[in-house]
Amino acid sequence: MIATLRSDPLAFDTIPNVPEKRICLISTLAVLLSLGQVSAAAAPAPSLQIYFIDVEGGGATLVIAPSGESLLIDSGNAPPNAERDTKRIYAAMQLAGLKKLDHLFITHYDTDHAGGVAALAKLTSIGKFVDHGDMDNAWFQNPNYEERWKNYLSAASGKRMIVKPGDIVPLKGVRVQVVSSNGEVLAKPINSGGANPYCDDAEQKEPDKSENSRSAGLLLSFGKFKFLDVGDLTWDKEMALACPVNKLGRVSLYQATHHGFWHDVSGATAHIRAIQPQVVVVNNGPRKGFDGPSKYEKLAKIPGIEGIWQGHLSLFNDQDHNTKEDMIANLEPSDQCQGHWIKVVVESSGKFTVTNGRNGFSQSYQAH
C-alpha cells in the first residue's frame, strides 16, 4: 500500500506494520536526499581558467585556479605602452571576478615581460612576486633596465619568492612546478618524461647569455591537463630540457616560446616535438614573433597537433602560414588593435575549451 498525503502534511494512510511517525521521517529524508542530489548535480565542478591577454607581443597570461587563487605570468610592456597593457590585464581580472593578484610570476626582466610591473602595482594588490633572482649587473649599462629593476624591487619589497628549477609555486587547486630559472633547468625528468628520439642529429646553438636565457618557466598541472610556459627561454636551454632525455613529458597546452620563436632565438625542434603539445597559443604581435612561414610550419608539423591559436594575425606571413582566422584574436595592426584575449577553460575531466574573445569562436579538446 502506498501512503497518500492528505491536507495534513504529517498524516498518511496506514501502511501495515510501519508507524506513521517513521513513515513521515523516511519520506522527509527521501525528499531532502533527492533535493541534495539535484543540487549536487546542478553545481558544476570548479574549473581552471587561463586568459592569454593581448599585450601586443609582450607577455601577460592570467591563471585562475579552481580554488579561486590567481597567478599572472608577466606584466606586459614598459611605458609608453604600460598603461594600455595594465588596463587590459585589469579588464581580464574583472572578467574573471578577481579583486587582487595572489602571485605575479615574472619569467625575466625584459621590457615586454616586466616593464608593466610598476603600473600594475598601482592598479591592483599583488600578494607575492615570483622571479628567477636578481638582474645581471651587466644590464645596468642600459639606463632603462636599471630604472625598471629599481621599480620592480620597490613594488616587490618584502614579497619576493626567488625560485629554482624543481620548486613549487603554491597555488591551491593546481600544481605549478618551476622547470627553468636563472640559466638552469630541471636536473631530472618530470611528467613521465624520458627518452627523446628527436635528439638524433638535432641542431645545437651557441649558449645565449641574454636575459632571455635566464627565463623562469613553469609546468602547470591540473589532473591530465598540462600547460607549459617558459617565457623567452633560448634554444640552448630548450635543448637542455629536451636532450638527451625529454625532461618535461608531453603537454596539453603550450604557449609558444619567445612569442613564436622570434628571430630563431628559441624554437628547438627536438624540444617542441618532444613535448608534443595538443594545442599551441602564440602570444605574438602583428610584427613581433611568428616571423616567417617556417615558424608556422614548425608548429603545424608537430605530431598530433590539434589546434594553433594566435594573439595576432602575423603580418610577416601569408594566409597559408597563419592559423584559421576564427582562431586569431586580433586581425588589425597595432594602431587599430582592440586587445582581444584568448581564454581557456579546463574541466576536472581534462576537457579544455579555447575561446576567441574577438568573435566567441570556441573549440574543445580532451587532454590525453
Side-chain angles (χ1 to χ4, degrees):
M1 183 185 297
I2 300 174
T4 305
L5 188 63
R6 299 195 189 112
S7 58
D8 179 355
L10 297 181
F12 292 83
D13 285 339
T14 56
I15 299 178
N17 304 320
V18 182
E20 285 189 12
K21 288 184 179 179
R22 186 178 172 190
I23 296 169
C24 179
L25 180 61
I26 292 171
S27 301
T28 304
L29 284 172
V31 170
L32 289 174
L33 258 164
S34 174
L35 287 173
Q37 288 171 350
V38 171
S39 176
S47 60
L48 166 68
Q49 299 178 61
I50 304 173
Y51 286 86
F52 295 90
I53 302 164
D54 178 39
V55 290
E56 306 200 28
T61 303
L62 179 62
V63 175
I64 304 98
S67 63
E69 289 192 352
S70 58
L71 179 146
L72 176 68
I73 307 170
D74 292 327
S75 64
N77 286 280
N81 293 321
E83 183 178 358
R84 175 200 70 191
D85 291 352
T86 52
K87 283 182 177 179
R88 291 178 182 178
I89 292 169
Y90 191 67
M93 289 175 59
Q94 290 181 306
L95 193 61
L98 298 177
K99 295 182 179 179
K100 63 182 179 64
L101 290 171
D102 294 298
H103 300 83
L104 174 58
F105 187 105
I106 295 295
T107 59
H108 62 301
Y109 300 118
D110 278 356
T111 181
D112 52 335
H113 292 259
V117 169
L120 185 63
K122 292 177 182 177
L123 202 60
T124 189
S125 171
I126 302 171
K128 185 72 71 175
F129 291 72
V130 185
D131 61 62
H132 69 55
D134 290 353
M135 185 184 287
D136 189 336
N137 288 338
W139 290 99
F140 290 159
Q141 297 173 9
N142 183 328
N144 292 331
Y145 271 84
E146 185 172 7
E147 181 182 3
R148 186 156 60 253
W149 177 237
K150 288 179 179 178
N151 288 339
Y152 180 76
L153 289 180
S154 176
S157 179
K159 302 179 182 180
R160 286 180 73 192
M161 176 183 178
I162 299 173
V163 293
K164 61 184 184 301
D167 285 350
I168 303 297
V169 179
L171 191 67
K172 292 180 182 178
V174 296
R175 179 180 175 86
V176 178
Q177 187 163 12
V178 178
V179 301
S180 63
S181 182
N182 202 30
E184 302 294 331
V185 302
L186 289 169
K188 296 180 179 180
I190 61 173
N191 187 35
S192 302
N196 182 1
Y198 300 106
C199 289
D200 296 341
D201 302 318
E203 182 182 0
Q204 296 276 3
K205 292 191 176 184
E206 289 296 316
D208 187 293
K209 299 185 184 302
S210 72
E211 175 65 14
N212 292 326
S213 71
R214 304 175 75 193
S215 289
L218 59 82
L219 180 70
L220 183 152
S221 303
F222 179 48
K224 293 180 179 179
F225 177 84
K226 316 292 179 184
F227 167 53
L228 181 68
D229 181 354
V230 292
D232 289 357
L233 199 65
T234 52
W235 190 291
D236 56 308
K237 303 304 179 186
E238 289 176 319
M239 286 297 292
L241 283 168
C243 296
V245 297
N246 169 21
K247 295 178 179 177
L248 298 175
R250 296 181 178 180
V251 304
S252 317
L253 179 66
Y254 168 49
Q255 181 170 309
T257 309
H258 207 183
H259 319 287
F261 322 128
W262 198 23
H263 299 322
D264 291 308
V265 170
S266 308
T269 303
H271 163 68
I272 296 166
R273 294 285 182 93
I275 62 174
Q276 200 172 337
Q278 294 174 246
V279 176
V280 178
V281 174
V282 186
N283 61 323
N284 64 313
R287 292 193 179 276
K288 183 174 180 183
F290 228 33
D291 50 333
S294 65
K295 311 302 172 64
Y296 178 82
E297 291 292 339
K298 191 182 288 280
L299 296 180
K301 291 179 179 179
I302 295 172
I305 187 73
E306 297 177 35
I308 300 171
W309 296 71
Q310 293 172 217
H312 276 265
L313 175 73
S314 173
L315 300 181
F316 293 112
N317 297 341
D318 59 24
Q319 182 177 351
D320 293 335
H321 294 91
N322 278 281
T323 194
K324 297 176 182 178
E325 187 173 297
D326 279 346
M327 300 163 77
I328 302 174
N330 298 281
L331 303 175
E332 310 86 0
S334 288
D335 60 350
Q336 302 169 31
C337 180
Q338 300 299 305
H340 298 296
W341 40 255
I342 293 171
K343 180 182 179 181
V344 181
V345 177
V346 188
E347 301 174 17
S348 58
S349 65
K351 177 183 176 181
F352 61 105
T353 301
V354 187
T355 300
N356 185 343
R358 174 178 62 85
N359 56 8
F361 177 78
S362 293
Q363 185 72 49
S364 293
Y365 310 89
Q366 180 64 45
H368 297 161

